[in-house]
Amino acid sequence: MHAMLNIAVRAARVAGNIISRGYESRADLATELKGENDYVTQIDKEAEQAIIDKIRQSFPDHSFVGEEGGIVEGDETFKWVIDPLDGTTNFIKGIPHFAVSIALLYKGKLDQAVVFDPMRGELFTASKGSGAQLNGYRIRCTKSRDLSGTVLATAFPFKKKEALNGYMSSFSTIFSQCGDVRRSGSAALDMAYVAAGRFDGYWEKGIKPWDIAAGSLLVQEAGGLVTDFDGGHEPMRTGAVVCGGAKVVQGLVRALKV
């Protein structure tokens, strides 16, 4: 395992332990509203700080950006992008589907990725050029020829419900062409599941870089494509992502342009 990936895995497991303990006593946790239908708990903050502290033990000069404000200035050559608890609403409600997401950007490009599901003990990892793994075993995206029969994942615009009408139009087009659609509440796990071949594809709009950074490298290293809604290659900048096997991505992008 790459040295930096190994440290990221250790950091993810430390955060996972914090999350698992918090899950057992979540009724007593302080919860804040960051925005419309957007929550944060003390566990999110503790997990993020634990990740940063763990990585800085080995790489004190690196820079960080985390969802909960964990911005640490440093060498921009190495930038860690962190979502300490992707799926906070699931966590609060007691739905055991959430994950730790850690990615490393090297000179602005995705280089290492970890998505860790502490409830199932599933560790998704990827190093640029070395493939993607689940608990040490190689994973691959599916190779569907079109959307027919596929199981896809998405998310509704719960933070901006005024965008629902436009979203439902494209959703209807896609749903009429595929087998079925899932909405799980964790972008990191949606993309990890695409990499593992559990979902054939995934699309979502209005997301942040920390939501999809690690998942993007997982999908790419599992043989898939990651684009924005226009088929471009900057989903982390545009906040819109489409991923899956090549033909699935083509079909989704085509449907999203209708």
Side-chain angles (χ1 to χ4, degrees):
M1 183 179 290
H2 191 284
M4 291 186 184
L5 180 62
N6 187 40
I7 297 301
V9 167
R10 294 181 188 180
R13 291 195 182 279
V14 170
N17 288 337
I18 292 171
I19 292 167
S20 296
R21 291 196 302 269
Y23 186 74
E24 297 303 320
S25 57
R26 62 189 178 280
D28 301 322
L29 295 176
T31 301
E32 301 173 23
L33 188 64
K34 295 192 293 184
E36 185 177 359
N37 300 312
D38 191 9
Y39 299 93
V40 61
T41 72
Q42 66 196 64
I43 295 299
D44 296 71
K45 297 175 181 179
E46 289 175 13
E48 181 169 290
Q49 192 58 53
I51 291 168
I52 293 172
D53 290 345
K54 187 66 176 178
I55 295 174
R56 291 194 80 193
Q57 289 177 7
S58 299
F59 308 111
D61 297 330
H62 289 190
S63 60
F64 297 80
V65 57
E67 179 177 11
E68 308 311 332
I71 298 174
V72 178
E73 302 294 339
D75 184 354
E76 291 289 317
T77 303
F78 298 95
K79 176 174 283 187
W80 296 89
V81 183
I82 302 163
D83 191 340
L85 177 50
D86 186 61
T88 298
T89 299
N90 284 348
F91 174 84
I92 292 170
K93 292 294 185 181
I95 301 169
H97 191 81
F98 39 80
V100 180
S101 177
I102 304 173
L104 173 64
L105 297 177
Y106 174 64
K107 295 184 177 179
K109 302 293 185 181
L110 289 167
D111 192 71
Q112 307 294 328
V114 176
V115 172
F116 179 52
D117 178 348
M119 295 291 97
R120 297 177 181 84
E122 291 191 329
L123 180 71
F124 300 85
T125 57
S127 293
K128 186 173 179 60
S130 299
Q133 295 81 34
L134 167 55
N135 291 342
Y137 292 92
R138 185 71 181 267
I139 52 177
R140 301 287 294 177
C141 294
T142 61
K143 297 182 179 180
S144 301
R145 296 183 177 181
D146 52 38
L147 296 184
S148 178
T150 57
V151 175
L152 307 173
T154 190
F156 298 105
F158 65 96
K159 297 178 185 178
K160 295 184 178 180
K161 293 188 177 179
E162 65 274 11
L164 184 61
N165 288 340
Y167 175 85
M168 290 308 296
S169 176
S170 59
F171 179 90
S172 296
T173 300
I174 293 168
F175 188 69
S176 68
Q177 298 179 36
C178 73
D180 207 349
V181 177
R182 302 286 184 266
R183 191 269 188 265
S184 72
S186 171
L189 284 177
D190 283 342
M191 297 188 80
Y193 281 20
V194 170
R198 295 173 178 175
F199 293 147
D200 297 290
Y202 159 72
W203 84 99
E204 186 175 350
K205 189 175 184 179
I207 49 181
K208 301 295 184 181
W210 46 76
D211 296 321
I212 62 170
S216 293
L217 186 61
L218 286 172
V219 172
Q220 291 167 358
E221 289 298 321
L225 295 179
V226 182
T227 76
D228 56 30
F229 279 20
D230 295 320
H233 299 288
E234 295 189 82
M236 289 176 62
R237 183 184 63 81
T238 63
V241 65
V242 180
C243 71
K247 297 296 185 181
V248 170
V249 169
Q250 290 174 10
L252 286 171
V253 169
R254 188 161 48 244
L256 289 164
K257 289 181 178 179
V258 173

